[in-house]
Amino acid sequence: MSLLEVTSLDAGYGDFQALFDIHLTVETGELLALVGANGAGKSTLLRTIAGAIAPMSGHVRYAGADITGQPDFMRARTGIVLVPEGRRLFPTLTVEENLLVGGSTRRDGPWNLSAVFDLLPIVADLRNRACSHLSGGEQQAVAIGRALMSNPDLLLLDEVSLGLAPIIVGQLYAVLPNIRERGMTVILVEQDLSRTLAVADRVACMLEGRLVLAGRPAELTREQVTDAYFGHGYGYLDTDSGAAR
Amino acid sequence: MSWLNAVVQGVLLGGFFAISALGLSIVFGVMRIVNLAHGALMILAAYGSVLLIERTGLGTWSSLLVVVPVMAALGYLLQRLVLQRAVSISELAPLMVTFGISIMIPNALVELFTSDVQALPTGNLATRSVSAGGIAVGLLPLLTFGIAVVLIAGLQLFLARARSGRLMRAAADDSQALRLMGVDNRVVYAQATAIAFATLALAGVLFGVRQGGVAPFDGQVTVLLAFETVIIGGLGSLWGTLVGGIVLGVTQTLGGEFSPEVPLLVGNLMFLAVLAFRPNGILGRETRA
Amino acid sequence: MTTTTQPQTTAGSVRVDRDRGRAMLAVGLALVALVALAAAPYFIGPGITTDWGNLFYLVTLASMWNLLAGYAGMLSVGQQGFIGLGAYGVFVFNDRGVNPYLSAVIAAAVVAAIAFPVSYLAFRLRGGYFAIGTWVIAEVMRQIIVRFESLGAGKGRTISAYTEDPILRKAYTYWLALGVMAVALAAGYALLRSRTGLALQSIRDNEPAAGAVGIRVSRVKRLVFIASAAGCAAAGAVICIRSLGVAQPNEIFGVGYSAIMIFAVVIGGIGTIEGPVVGAVVYYLLDKYFGQSGVWYFVGLGLVAILVTLFLPKGIWGELASRWHLSLLPVGYRTRSTPHPTGWLTARDHRP
């Protein structure tokens, strides 16, 4: 049985529809990478899976149960945790307090303060600092640690590398295998193609709110992915063919 | 000597102002709601004590054991059932709702208790005093000040150390992110409101004891004093309410040295002066108001 | 002309529609009604016209509060300060030999001048704290006024010199109340149809964004604050003249007036020109038929205001208007596309 099953999903903000007829399944223990250009709908899809956005139509099933109508905080308690775009740490709380709030779901599992400190030593060093004074990379490390604190079954990582120096991104990606070795399922949103193709079990490309290509990195050519990324040959934004949508 | 006396009395009065301002400060700090019914609810709590004393023979202080939890429960329900909905409608809606409550309460009290002052007996506590260095200090104001310090320290400790206190600070920072951590922010809000209502219930009964009784429309004065205390002290700081309360209290008692008619006016003018020259309050750092 | 060489516009152009025709019709009807109401004392007994005067100042107050909260997003619970100052202003100028009706006008102007520096204090606060801040300011005004023995101190006082003939006095008072209401409504409407009105609506919808596109937010808000203060002062003067004085400073400076204004605006429909008028009429009727039924009446008013806020946030007029697409006095802008045939440019496009 798949851990997550998204069917015929339409979603958006107010009158603006950002996702069109998304079908997606994710198996337990898998790392799925969502790639696509800015505004392709990757973050919206993650937020809809996390329950922060209610879909316009379609269904989300998780561990066999239909959770389409379940609010975000209930989903976190059943094991779906989102590391949101922009980190969204609690700025007036210390690093350690942020982690403790992350553990609010009180789910059983391997992750606790000392496990997170072992995984991310930088976070341990900062434990008593207020989060408003951290660098972007430090904040991202805390945000990942905070999400782990709730011992999720499905971890949703939104734009981990956004605005960070490559060396820091490398350090963050280096801990992914440690997170995954305990069986956690991960959906990763990323704009950096080569980094994504290196870590992902499966890649799904989004273009203007639609899933246009999915497969294992080994089975996809780099051209296929970049074409899907930029929309070449998909009838979108394709200036050469002269055909608008 | 009378000046020094006035300052001492003013400082102690500040303790009462601080207690009455705590609830307003908490509700604004956590939910960004300004509770215009704060004063009316204080008076409602005092009438709760009056009723208990009449019907059950409880004393004023023991009535607190009932009034404080009941008001806390009322706060919890009001936040969950009414204010949460209002917040989702518009920025003005919670103000209109709390203002509506502030109109309903005193008028209902007039209907139920008449507009006469209802006494809150405390034995001889209100008249007893201790003397030190030639200054006689009322036992009740001294006790009130002590309660204020203990209460603020306790709340500060709760917010800093307790799990639910931490969640309240997190909810004030970013309620949406908190929901993603599996916490229903509406429950956190309701808990914060319950604490705020517990403190305003205590403040209301203390007000009645200080004044020797309560009248239905007293809330129109107490809400303004509580609000001035918050702003003078600086938003977003519980110890600030004690500073604000002391500044307001001393201003009033010194004003009273000139004329018994002007303490409220002088206190209000002090508030306007703070607004003009230190708009972030005496302890305030950032612009939040 | 280069138009012949340009590619022809095929998409049609957009015309901004301000409903000028409907607005003119409504204004015309309002003028007819105004003339009819002005003539009323010649045909109808003073008992009835005096009663209508009650409605006129309620409409004035509700419209002024709506201007603040409904259009500029400033919820004030301190307008009673300006109402009280307007009422006491009548004494100040009447004592110096000005007739009470002209005193009312002068008082409104003076209160507008007072509101200017007051706005700098009040604008230090936002949202709910602005609300209580205005309430404090109103209290300060009362506390200062009652320090003056010449103004009756805390006991109130009566107007010393007024028109002796009771019939004439009542007619003048009626015309004053009507005039104040007409000016308040007309000025409010003109303000909202002006560029300032557009600025106001953008401030109400998103203040930081309005500032970012170059709207001088605090200047526009200050203008509204002062206008509303003047309107409330004029209404306060009307209230004072109607009862030949002030019986209780606590009442004319009482927060009860804020309650009435908020009730009328919320019930009628906040953020529309027509809503406060509807709400004032509702309050006037409720007060007329249930006002004597004791203080449960006020409990009921508070409850109704809360329920309407929560469950009918657009108010009576707002609900009707959105259901039937009604707007007697449109202040908005609508864009209408006006498609034109290919290859033919309309005359409008060539207008300078």
Side-chain angles (χ1 to χ4, degrees):
Chain A
M1 186 182 58
S2 308
L3 183 66
L4 181 77
E5 209 174 328
V6 174
T7 46
S8 313
L9 189 81
D10 290 345
Y13 309 87
D15 291 336
F16 173 72
Q17 188 173 348
L19 297 179
F20 301 87
D21 194 31
I22 303 285
H23 292 264
L24 184 71
T25 52
V26 183
E27 304 301 324
T28 304
E30 196 178 22
L31 192 155
L32 172 77
L34 284 175
V35 298
N38 256 338
K42 307 177 302 281
S43 292
T44 308
L45 179 53
L46 278 200
R47 290 169 58 77
T48 312
I49 293 169
I53 299 174
M56 295 165 171
S57 63
H59 289 276
V60 180
R61 293 178 70 81
Y62 171 73
D66 191 328
I67 57 163
T68 311
Q70 213 175 51
D72 45 4
F73 61 90
M74 289 297 294
R75 293 192 198 190
R77 290 175 197 174
T78 57
I80 304 178
V81 169
L82 170 69
V83 176
E85 196 178 351
R87 277 75 91 167
R88 301 285 287 269
L89 298 179
F90 305 110
T92 66
L93 273 59
T94 65
V95 168
E96 184 171 323
E97 286 175 333
N98 266 274
L99 296 179
L100 289 171
V101 171
S104 294
T105 51
R106 295 178 175 169
R107 290 167 52 81
D108 289 331
W111 297 105
N112 52 33
L113 273 184
S114 62
V116 169
F117 289 156
D118 284 346
L119 180 75
L120 300 157
I122 182 175
V123 174
D125 297 339
L126 298 165
R127 61 190 294 175
N128 293 320
R129 293 267 293 277
C131 284
S132 49
H133 300 305
L134 304 185
S135 71
E138 292 166 345
Q139 285 187 23
Q140 191 65 68
V142 176
I144 292 171
R146 184 177 67 172
L148 291 177
M149 284 292 289
S150 77
N151 284 297
D153 293 327
L154 174 59
L155 179 65
L156 309 173
L157 293 170
D158 199 353
E159 304 266 13
V160 166
S161 60
L162 193 71
L164 303 183
I167 184 160
I168 305 214
V169 179
Q171 287 166 5
L172 291 172
Y173 269 82
V175 303
L176 264 180
N178 295 331
I179 296 173
R180 295 186 61 200
E181 78 186 5
R182 322 210 189 182
M184 199 180 289
T185 311
V186 180
I187 303 180
L188 181 75
V189 160
E190 188 53 83
Q191 294 201 27
D192 183 342
L193 271 185
S194 41
R195 205 177 285 283
T196 311
L197 294 173
V199 297
D201 298 327
R202 212 150 53 89
V203 178
C205 287
M206 292 189 72
L207 180 66
E208 301 205 336
R210 290 172 172 84
L211 269 179
V212 290
L213 180 72
R216 306 199 162 275
E219 298 160 357
L220 299 172
T221 66
R222 181 123 189 142
E223 284 66 38
Q224 278 180 302
V225 179
T226 40
D227 281 355
Y229 196 109
F230 293 111
H232 298 300
Y234 286 87
Y236 304 109
L237 311 167
D238 197 337
T239 46
D240 292 340
S241 69
R245 203 171 346 160
Chain B
M1 215 54 196
S2 73
W3 293 100
L4 184 61
N5 183 50
V7 170
V8 171
Q9 307 299 343
V11 170
L12 296 182
L13 180 59
F16 166 71
F17 289 154
I19 298 174
S20 67
L22 282 175
L24 203 60
S25 184
I26 292 169
V27 168
F28 181 77
V30 179
M31 285 153 286
R32 295 284 178 271
I33 293 177
V34 173
N35 177 12
L36 294 176
H38 183 83
L41 288 160
M42 279 171 68
I43 301 309
L44 179 69
Y47 270 89
S49 275
V50 168
L51 193 68
L52 281 169
I53 292 163
E54 267 177 21
R55 295 285 162 84
T56 67
L58 283 176
T60 301
W61 300 114
S62 45
S63 73
L64 282 172
L65 296 174
V66 179
V67 169
V68 170
V70 167
M71 287 300 288
L74 180 70
Y76 190 96
L77 292 176
L78 191 71
Q79 175 63 36
R80 287 238 54 173
L81 303 179
V82 181
L83 294 179
Q84 191 67 46
R85 186 187 172 92
V87 170
S88 69
I89 292 173
S90 70
E91 208 184 326
L92 296 185
L95 290 170
M96 305 212 225
V97 168
T98 54
F99 187 71
I101 295 170
S102 79
I103 297 298
M104 288 170 69
I105 289 175
N107 286 296
L109 290 175
V110 168
E111 198 67 35
L112 297 171
F113 292 89
T114 77
S115 50
D116 299 337
V117 173
Q118 301 288 319
L120 273 172
T122 53
N124 57 357
L125 185 67
T127 53
R128 272 164 63 186
S129 61
V130 288
S131 298
I135 295 174
V137 177
L139 203 56
L140 183 65
L142 205 57
L143 192 67
T144 307
F145 192 86
I147 293 174
V149 172
V150 171
L151 196 57
I152 293 172
L155 280 171
Q156 198 77 50
L157 202 66
F158 167 79
L159 287 173
R161 299 258 181 269
R163 179 179 173 273
S164 37
R166 188 162 59 229
L167 293 182
M168 283 172 200
R169 287 185 290 134
D173 274 359
D174 189 338
S175 59
Q176 276 179 316
L178 186 63
R179 289 171 69 89
L180 293 174
M181 312 282 107
V183 179
D184 186 351
N185 63 322
R186 296 166 301 179
V187 172
V188 176
Y189 286 164
Q191 288 168 348
T193 311
I195 293 173
F197 272 49
T199 66
L200 73 80
L202 174 64
V205 174
L206 283 173
F207 171 81
V209 171
R210 280 188 68 85
Q211 306 287 114
V214 280
F217 286 94
D218 285 346
Q220 293 184 357
V221 180
T222 58
V223 68
L224 298 187
L225 294 173
F227 157 72
E228 290 177 339
T229 302
V230 172
I231 298 291
I232 293 175
L235 289 168
S237 140
L238 292 184
W239 285 112
T241 60
L242 190 60
V243 174
I246 289 173
V247 170
L248 189 61
V250 171
T251 312
Q252 285 196 3
T253 49
L254 286 179
E257 288 291 303
F258 290 100
S259 157
E261 289 165 29
V262 296
L264 281 177
L265 174 59
V266 177
N268 287 337
L269 291 176
M270 175 57 152
F271 160 75
L272 293 182
V274 169
L275 213 52
F277 301 109
R278 267 197 84 90
N280 295 331
I282 288 173
L283 288 192
R285 294 164 300 259
E286 48 188 327
T287 314
R288 275 251 189 93
Chain C
M1 287 298 287
T2 55
T3 46
T4 49
T5 57
Q6 274 179 352
Q8 279 136 2
T9 315
T10 52
S13 69
V14 169
R15 184 165 66 87
V16 175
D17 179 20
R18 300 221 54 199
D19 287 314
R20 190 166 300 248
R22 206 140 45 94
M24 294 304 283
L25 179 66
V27 168
L29 286 175
L31 282 174
V32 172
L34 180 64
V35 170
L37 286 173
Y42 294 103
F43 304 104
I44 300 172
I48 293 170
T49 53
T50 301
D51 193 35
W52 289 1
N54 197 5
L55 175 63
F56 296 163
Y57 80 72
L58 287 171
V59 170
T60 308
L61 288 178
S63 301
M64 290 300 103
W65 194 84
N66 180 52
L67 198 59
L68 270 181
Y71 284 100
M74 294 183 278
L75 192 144
S76 162
V77 286
Q79 294 307 98
Q80 65 271 18
F82 300 119
I83 296 173
L85 286 186
Y88 275 89
V90 173
F91 301 134
V92 172
F93 300 105
N94 184 237
D95 289 351
R96 279 154 188 76
V98 183
N99 78 56
Y101 313 103
L102 190 56
S103 298
V105 176
I106 301 173
V110 170
V111 170
I114 293 173
F116 178 68
V118 166
S119 71
Y120 281 89
L121 279 176
F123 286 10
R124 296 275 195 174
L125 300 164
R126 291 197 177 285
Y129 281 124
F130 173 84
I132 314 195
T134 55
W135 193 351
V136 172
I137 290 168
E139 267 300 287
V140 170
M141 289 171 178
R142 179 185 68 83
Q143 286 165 346
I144 291 173
I145 290 290
V146 298
R147 311 263 335 136
F148 288 95
E149 283 297 328
S150 62
L151 294 176
K155 301 182 290 292
R157 60 163 281 191
T158 53
I159 298 173
S160 43
Y162 52 81
T163 317
E164 290 295 339
D165 177 13
I167 302 279
L168 210 52
R169 190 180 74 226
K170 281 176 179 161
Y172 282 145
T173 308
Y174 172 84
W175 284 322
L176 177 71
L178 178 64
V180 166
M181 176 182 76
V183 170
L185 287 176
Y189 187 52
L191 182 74
L192 293 173
R193 267 190 84 93
S194 70
R195 283 179 64 88
T196 307
L198 187 61
L200 269 176
Q201 285 171 49
S202 63
I203 290 170
R204 181 184 57 175
D205 293 342
N206 188 337
E207 189 166 321
V213 298
I215 292 167
R216 296 163 84 174
V217 173
S218 41
R219 222 175 79 152
V220 173
K221 286 172 80 171
R222 184 160 288 125
L223 180 68
V224 170
F225 186 80
I226 292 169
S228 173
C232 287
V238 168
I239 295 169
C240 172
I241 293 172
R242 279 168 53 81
S243 42
L244 305 179
V246 170
Q248 278 280 341
N250 290 353
E251 201 177 307
I252 195 82
F253 281 103
V255 76
Y257 278 111
S258 279
I260 293 169
M261 287 186 255
I262 294 177
F263 177 86
V265 173
V266 167
I267 299 289
I270 190 167
T272 61
I273 292 275
E274 301 89 340
V277 180
V278 172
V281 172
V282 170
Y283 177 81
Y284 162 80
L285 292 174
L286 284 177
D287 192 51
K288 190 166 170 169
Y289 295 109
F290 301 103
Q292 308 311 315
S293 59
V295 286
W296 283 124
Y297 165 68
F298 285 102
V299 180
L301 286 188
L303 187 64
V304 170
I306 292 171
L307 292 176
V308 170
T309 302
L310 293 177
F311 299 105
L312 203 72
K314 290 178 184 166
I316 295 173
W317 181 263
E319 282 296 324
L320 290 178
S322 65
R323 200 158 294 172
W324 308 101
H325 301 287
L326 281 179
S327 180
L328 294 179
L329 295 164
V331 296
Y333 296 74
R334 280 192 297 185
T335 51
R336 286 194 178 156
S337 59
T338 49
H340 34 81
T342 318
W344 183 82
L345 293 170
T346 54
R348 190 179 6 255
D349 293 327
H350 293 288
R351 273 186 204 158

